[in-house]
Amino acid sequence: MHSNELSNIELLKEIAELLNEETEMEKMLQGALHKLLEGTLFETGWIFFIDDNGRQQLIAHENLPTALKQNDCRHLQKGGCWCVSRFQNGELKKASNIIECKRIVNARKISNEDSSGITHHATVPLQSGQESFGLLNVATPNTIRFSDGELALLESVAFQIGSAIKRI
């Protein structure tokens, strides 16, 4: 248990350093996502920016399964989903386990491509104070629920990212 906690602290420190040094938004988010996946059991992730009108923009992604990656990540670019609507309603306040992801289900239906055992993801809002910027989503193959510890780590990382977005 103890060594795990230490590695989370080290991971948060590494992500904080990267966020502090980087001045370019997409590079910063891509780098933070990469470090998060490298240092945890999460295997894939993506970040949406969502504006006040609810328009979403896929701004960073890492290790997406083929089914989600094809056609320039069409399934992540288009259409609504539970996490985005919850975000817009202001109902998404902390890291949450998302029931089966609609985007992933759609991608699997339409395509014979592999979703690499990914069916569910965790989601956490990126915010700073009262301002919300978007969502960080992460997933792991054959995992339908993440532990409280994993969600707490996600919240810490999201908090760091939110502050960095505001700074830039």
Side-chain angles (χ1 to χ4, degrees):
M1 184 68 199
H2 219 61
S3 64
N4 189 0
E5 282 169 353
L6 185 67
S7 70
N8 281 355
I9 290 168
E10 282 167 1
L11 176 66
L12 288 170
K13 181 174 166 281
E14 272 187 29
I15 290 174
E17 282 168 1
L18 177 129
L19 293 172
N20 282 330
E21 286 159 18
E22 192 52 68
T23 53
E24 205 235 306
M25 184 73 77
E26 281 186 42
K27 231 170 114 190
M28 175 185 87
L29 294 173
Q30 197 66 51
L33 188 54
H34 179 77
K35 275 200 185 303
L36 173 65
L37 298 181
E38 219 178 35
T40 59
L41 293 171
F42 302 125
E43 273 188 35
T44 179
W46 58 99
I47 294 174
F48 287 129
F49 272 5
I50 302 167
D51 68 15
D52 295 341
N53 305 321
R55 277 193 300 266
Q56 63 196 41
Q57 176 194 1
L58 181 65
I59 193 157
H61 59 82
E62 181 93 358
N63 277 347
L64 290 178
T66 325
L68 283 178
K69 237 189 336 218
Q70 60 174 9
N71 294 347
D72 192 30
C73 307
R74 186 169 55 102
H75 292 287
L76 293 179
Q77 305 274 22
K78 298 270 175 282
C81 66
W82 189 92
C83 52
V84 172
S85 31
R86 278 287 163 37
F87 174 86
Q88 283 170 262
N89 301 342
E91 291 172 43
L92 200 59
K93 292 291 180 225
K94 55 188 181 51
S96 311
N97 280 301
I98 293 294
I99 320 134
E100 210 168 15
C101 172
K102 187 172 133 186
R103 293 173 195 278
I104 299 171
V105 171
N106 289 346
R108 283 212 318 258
K109 264 188 214 148
I110 293 169
S111 131
N112 302 321
E113 296 289 352
D114 187 21
S115 64
S116 307
I118 288 172
T119 53
H120 296 61
H121 66 77
T123 189
V124 62
L126 299 173
Q127 48 202 25
S128 178
Q130 293 307 302
E131 274 180 279
S132 290
F133 306 107
L135 293 171
L136 164 62
N137 291 340
V138 292
T140 306
N142 312 314
T143 306
I144 56 176
R145 256 197 108 63
F146 297 97
S147 71
D148 291 347
E150 288 168 318
L151 293 177
L153 176 65
L154 257 192
E155 276 182 25
S156 304
V157 171
F159 177 75
Q160 287 186 337
I161 293 174
S163 305
I165 293 171
K166 190 170 173 65
R167 175 180 62 82
I168 291 187

